[in-house]
Amino acid sequence: MLRHLICLGLLAAALPAFADTAAKQPFTVERSWEIQRLGTPTISPDGSRIVAPVTRFVMAEDRGYTDLWLWNADGSGERRFTTHTSNEGGAVFSPDGKHIAFVAQREDDKAPQLYVMPIDGGEATRLTTLATGVQSPKWIGDGSRLAFVSRVFTDLPLAEQGKRLEERSTSKMTARVFEGSVTAWDQYLDEREFHVFAVPAVGGEVQALTQPTGLSLPRGSVMGTDALFALSPDGTELAFVADSDPAPNRSNLDVFTVAIGGAEANNLTADNPANDGSPAYSPDGRYLSYSQQRIKGFYADRMRLMLRERRSGDTRELYPDFDRSISGALWADNSRRLYASIDDAGTERVYELPLQGAPRALTGVESIGSLALSKSGRLVGLRQTFIEPPTLVSIDTRRGSTTKLSTINDALLAATDFGTYESVTYTGANGAEIQMWVNYPPGFDKTKKYPFFMLIHGGPHNAITNGMAFRWNAQVFGSWGYVTAWPNFHGSSGFGQDFADSINPNWADKPYEDVIKAAEWFAQQPWIDTERMVAGGGSYGGYLTSLILGREHPFRALVAHAAVYNLYTQYAADFATEMPRFGGFWEEANREMIEKTSPHYHAANFKTPTLVVHGQNDLRVPVNHGVELYQTLLMKGVPTRYVYYPNENHWVLKPQNSVFWYQQVKRWFEEHGGLGE
C-alpha cells in the first residue's frame, strides 16, 4: 500500500513568482545548461559577506566559465567579484575578512596557482608558481600564511617538478611502472603524492608541512582534498588524513596531527582498523572532531562523529544511537555545538549537533548542503529541490527557516514550465517500506495516460535526495511527457546502517525486487500506460538495469550507462586494488554469489531492446563492460545501440555531449515503445 508523504508543487513560496503558463518554456536539456551553477560558498568571519563560485556554460564553445560572486548576507545585493577569463575556485576569507584567497590558472600559469585579492577591490596577487599546481587553500592562524595542497614528486625539490613533468610529456618512452593503485576515477596515478604546504600571505618561500612526516594524503584523492586536513586556531598544529597501512592491497585511513614545522606525526586513530577522516578543530582549540567508520572495506558504513579532547586525549563518540552518517561537520563559534548537512531519508537536512544533548534537524523538505559558518554564527548553504537548482540561502539556526540570497537564475526559472514532484513510500522486499521520489510532467492530468520512466540510482549506497541532478534530470524527462520514479531501494544511504548494509554481499535480489514492486504499483495507476514503461540507470544503476535485462520485468526498453556488467572484470576497476570486504572472487562462496548476481551469467534471457552508453575515460567502471554488454546483445540478436564517448569518464560532463546523450535516450525510447501514442 502506498503512503504519500509530501505532495509538492512545493516551491511556490521559495521560487520567484512564475510567469503565465502560456509564456513558459519546457525544461529541456538545452535549458538545463542555461542554469548558472553555484558552488560551495565561503563566508566572512563577521558574517556580512559571502563568496561562491558561479559557472555559466557557453554551448557553442562546449565549456563553462567560473567566476567568484559576492553577496551581502543581509540580502541587499550580489555582484561578480572576479571577471578574469580564467576559472576561479577554492575561495576562502582571510581571518580579518579583508582578503580572499582563491585558486586560478591565469596568463602564463602552467597549472592552477594561489592568488589573494582585496575584498573591496584591487588586483589579485599571485603567491605561488608551482608546476604541480595548487588546491584546497586555507588560512593559517592569524592570517600571515596560507596552507594548500599540491601533488608532488617527493624525491625532487619543488623547483624541479616542472622539469620532470615536461620530460614525461615529451618522452618517446611512455611506459609507467606500478606497485600499488593504478587508477582513480578517470586518471592513471603516477608516483606523485598529495602533500600540504604553506606560503606567506604576501608570497615567498613555500614550506612543506606533511612531507617531513613521511606520510601523505591518500593517493587516490583526485576528487578533492578539502576535507583531508585542518589547522588549529592558533596556527601551531596540522591535522591530516593519511593511509597508515603500507601494504599495496590494503588501506587504513587515519587522522594524524603534526606540529607546524615539525616532522613527528601522531596517529590519533591507530586503534580503529577502518577509515577515519574529516578532522576539524573547535574555535577555542580545545577539541578535534573527526568522522569514523567501523567496518573495514565498506565505504557506506555509518560515519560516526568523534570528539577528542586535545589536552587529555580523551575521545568519545557523539550520538552512538543516531543512525545517520555525519561528516564535514562545522564548529559553531562557541565550540559547544556543530552543524552538518546529513543524508536523511531522501533529503539533505541541516542538523544542529550539540556536544551535550541529541542531534536536532533544523531543515525539512528541501535539501540543503555545502554549508559555511561565520565566527559571528551566521550559517549559509545551498538549497535545492527537483525544481530548484542550488540556490544560496541563509539558515536560521533556531527555527531552521531559510532566506534566499542568490537571484542569478530567477528570470530563467520563472519562465520555465516545471512539473511537480512528491515523496511516497511503498512496500518493497521483505515487506520493508521503500521511499521513492516521483516527478510528474508539466500539466499532469490524472485522467490521461502517460509513459513511465523508472530511474535506477547508482552507488548502490547513494540515495537520491531532493535535488536538481543535471545528468539524469527527471524534469527534463518530464518535458518529454514522462512520469518518472527514483526509488531509494535497499542499500540506499540515509535510511540507517542496517538498510544500507542489507544488500551485501548480494547486490542483486532486494534492489531488483524493490524496483519491480515499484513498477507494479505504477502499472496499477490509471494514468500510467503499461505499454510505455521503460527503465535505466548508470554505474550501479547500470548494473541493476543489466540484471533486470536477464530477469522478468515489465519494461519495453532499457538504458544501461556505465553499467557494471561482469563482476569478474570489475575487479580491474579503480577501487579493486584492495582485498574486498568479503574476500576474492576465487573463494567458493563468492563464485556462487557472482554466478547468481553478475548480469553476464544471465545473457540467455536477454530480449529487451537496450541502449548501452560508456565513456573511454571511465576507470570506475572500465569501458570493457559497455563493450561486453553491447557485443553480447548483438550476438543474441537483441535490438541494441552503443553510444561511446572517447572523451568522457564515469559521467557525461561536456555540454554538447550531454545534449547528445539526452537526444539518444529519447530517440531510443521513441523507437522502442516508450514514447508516442
Side-chain angles (χ1 to χ4, degrees):
M1 181 175 181
L2 186 83
R3 185 173 77 241
H4 292 248
L5 297 180
I6 317 161
C7 194
L8 300 161
L10 245 198
L11 285 199
L15 290 178
F18 286 154
D20 292 339
T21 302
K24 293 181 181 180
Q25 299 298 312
F27 190 61
T28 61
V29 59
E30 293 86 356
R31 199 166 185 82
S32 75
W33 282 100
E34 294 178 29
I35 290 175
Q36 298 186 72
R37 304 184 189 180
L38 276 72
T40 300
T42 184
I43 189 167
S44 62
D46 66 2
S48 65
R49 291 192 274 195
I50 304 148
V51 166
V54 176
T55 303
R56 59 181 177 86
F57 293 91
V58 179
M59 186 63 67
E61 300 178 26
D62 199 34
R63 62 160 294 182
Y65 292 88
T66 302
D67 293 310
L68 299 178
W69 280 62
L70 185 68
W71 284 266
N72 294 329
D74 62 6
S76 62
E78 63 185 357
R79 64 179 175 87
R80 184 178 281 109
F81 179 64
T82 59
T83 58
H84 197 276
T85 54
S86 67
N87 291 341
E88 293 94 12
V92 281
F93 277 94
S94 61
D96 63 8
K98 295 181 179 180
H99 293 81
I100 291 178
F102 60 90
V103 174
Q105 187 170 345
R106 297 185 167 185
E107 276 78 47
D108 58 347
D109 294 341
K110 295 185 182 301
Q113 303 300 330
L114 181 60
Y115 286 81
V116 171
M117 186 170 174
I119 186 67
D120 291 320
E123 295 299 319
T125 300
R126 183 174 60 189
L127 302 186
T128 62
T129 55
L130 299 182
T132 49
V134 167
Q135 63 191 64
S136 303
K138 298 180 183 182
W139 294 87
I140 301 176
D142 61 4
S144 61
R145 293 194 297 169
L146 289 111
F148 62 87
V149 173
S150 191
R151 189 177 173 195
V152 299
F153 299 104
T154 58
D155 63 331
L156 291 178
L158 292 177
E160 297 180 23
Q161 302 278 321
K163 181 180 178 182
R164 179 172 292 177
L165 291 172
E166 177 68 19
E167 289 173 348
R168 289 196 173 178
S169 68
T170 58
S171 174
K172 301 300 183 183
M173 197 291 294
T174 59
R176 295 290 178 265
V177 178
F178 299 91
E179 294 182 350
S181 298
V182 176
T183 60
W185 289 100
D186 61 357
Q187 299 181 35
Y188 278 85
L189 302 176
D190 55 23
E191 68 269 38
R192 285 182 294 168
E193 298 177 352
F194 288 104
H195 280 284
V196 182
F197 297 87
V199 66
V202 294
E205 184 178 356
V206 173
Q207 177 188 13
L209 300 185
T210 52
Q211 264 187 278
T213 70
L215 298 163
S216 70
L217 305 187
R219 289 186 68 241
S221 303
V222 298
M223 301 293 281
T225 54
D226 289 0
L228 296 177
F229 72 103
L231 297 140
S232 63
D234 61 6
T236 63
E237 185 177 271
L238 168 72
F240 65 101
V241 178
D243 187 353
S244 63
D245 193 329
N249 65 338
R250 298 191 305 268
S251 70
N252 178 15
L253 301 186
D254 283 320
V255 175
F256 292 81
T257 57
V258 63
I260 298 290
E264 294 296 323
N266 180 29
N267 188 344
L268 306 185
T269 59
D271 59 344
N272 179 39
N275 289 337
D276 304 274
S278 298
Y281 289 92
S282 61
D284 63 6
R286 179 180 177 183
Y287 300 108
L288 180 73
S289 65
Y290 58 92
S291 61
Q292 182 174 92
Q293 295 181 311
R294 303 279 172 80
I295 301 177
K296 189 174 180 63
F298 182 29
Y299 77 86
D301 182 29
R302 179 165 68 91
M303 286 181 273
R304 297 154 174 83
L305 183 60
M306 306 298 293
L307 187 70
R308 179 183 178 89
E309 211 278 334
R310 293 175 65 203
R311 178 170 294 181
S312 68
D314 291 341
T315 302
R316 66 185 174 99
E317 177 185 351
L318 296 175
Y319 330 122
D321 297 326
F322 183 56
D323 202 12
R324 295 290 185 268
S325 283
I326 305 173
S327 65
L330 304 177
W331 279 94
D333 60 302
N334 61 11
S335 300
R336 296 178 182 175
R337 62 182 53 81
L338 301 95
Y339 296 93
S341 177
I342 294 176
D343 181 355
D344 183 18
T347 300
E348 293 283 340
R349 294 188 174 90
V350 178
Y351 271 77
E352 179 188 57
L353 305 167
L355 299 192
Q356 303 297 329
R360 179 173 71 98
L362 292 177
T363 59
V365 173
E366 301 122 338
S367 287
I368 300 177
S370 301
L371 302 180
L373 183 63
S374 73
K375 288 184 178 179
S376 66
R378 186 184 294 273
L379 183 64
V380 299
L382 298 182
R383 182 184 70 195
Q384 61 176 314
T385 71
F386 288 105
I387 59 177
E388 180 185 31
T391 300
L392 182 65
V393 296
S394 62
I395 305 158
D396 187 313
T397 56
R398 291 185 179 181
R399 296 185 295 272
S401 58
T402 58
T403 302
K404 187 165 74 70
L405 300 177
S406 62
T407 63
I408 55 177
N409 288 311
D410 282 8
L412 179 70
L413 298 175
T416 300
D417 192 13
F418 288 105
T420 57
Y421 67 95
E422 65 178 329
S423 175
V424 301
T425 59
Y426 67 94
T427 301
N430 292 349
E433 286 194 342
I434 304 299
Q435 187 270 339
M436 175 170 62
W437 291 108
V438 182
N439 276 253
Y440 300 97
F444 176 73
D445 182 348
K446 288 189 175 182
T447 67
K448 299 179 180 179
K449 286 188 176 292
Y450 294 86
F452 172 71
F453 190 178
M454 178 72 75
L455 302 172
I456 304 173
H457 74 67
H461 307 291
N462 297 329
I464 290 297
T465 56
N466 185 8
M468 184 170 281
F470 288 99
R471 292 190 298 275
W472 290 68
N473 190 288
Q475 288 291 318
V476 171
F477 301 136
S479 75
W480 303 349
Y482 276 100
V483 172
T484 64
W486 281 114
N488 278 319
F489 42 74
H490 277 83
S492 300
S493 58
F495 297 88
Q497 177 75 10
D498 290 345
F499 191 81
D501 208 11
S502 65
I503 66 169
N504 296 313
N506 185 341
W507 268 12
D509 291 348
K510 290 179 181 177
Y512 163 77
E513 186 175 347
D514 291 340
V515 169
I516 296 303
K517 285 183 177 295
E520 289 172 351
W521 183 86
F522 279 101
Q524 296 171 4
Q525 306 310 308
W527 33 271
I528 291 295
D529 186 342
T530 58
E531 295 300 313
R532 295 187 291 160
M533 299 178 72
V534 296
S539 193
Y540 171 86
Y543 160 83
L544 193 50
T545 299
S546 301
L547 188 87
I548 287 169
L549 176 62
R551 296 187 179 189
E552 289 297 318
H553 67 82
F555 305 114
R556 293 282 301 276
L558 301 170
V559 175
H561 179 116
V564 177
Y565 172 62
N566 183 331
L567 290 180
Y568 285 120
T569 56
Q570 182 61 8
Y571 274 77
D574 67 353
F575 61 86
T577 301
E578 294 184 34
M579 178 63 67
R581 176 184 173 191
F582 297 100
F585 64 79
W586 50 86
E587 298 175 16
E588 184 65 20
N590 287 337
R591 182 188 64 79
E592 294 174 359
M593 183 61 69
I594 288 175
E595 289 183 4
K596 180 180 181 180
T597 61
S598 183
H600 82 284
Y601 271 112
H602 306 280
N605 301 324
F606 291 178
K607 58 186 177 182
T608 308
T610 301
L611 179 69
V612 180
V613 186
H614 226 105
Q616 179 65 43
N617 298 329
D618 187 353
L619 302 176
R620 193 65 172 176
V621 181
V623 69
N624 61 280
H625 286 274
V627 176
E628 289 179 45
L629 175 56
Y630 171 65
Q631 301 281 49
T632 301
L633 290 163
L634 280 181
M635 287 188 289
K636 287 274 298 166
V638 178
T640 187
R641 184 174 297 138
Y642 184 38
V643 179
Y644 165 75
Y645 289 99
N647 62 345
E648 296 285 6
N649 56 23
H650 197 53
W651 308 283
V652 177
L653 300 177
K654 301 181 187 303
Q656 292 188 27
N657 283 345
S658 170
V659 170
F660 186 79
W661 184 93
Y662 279 93
Q663 290 170 343
Q664 290 299 302
V665 170
K666 184 178 181 183
R667 175 187 169 193
W668 187 252
F669 290 161
E670 288 173 340
E671 292 175 356
H672 297 283
L675 286 171
E677 296 298 334

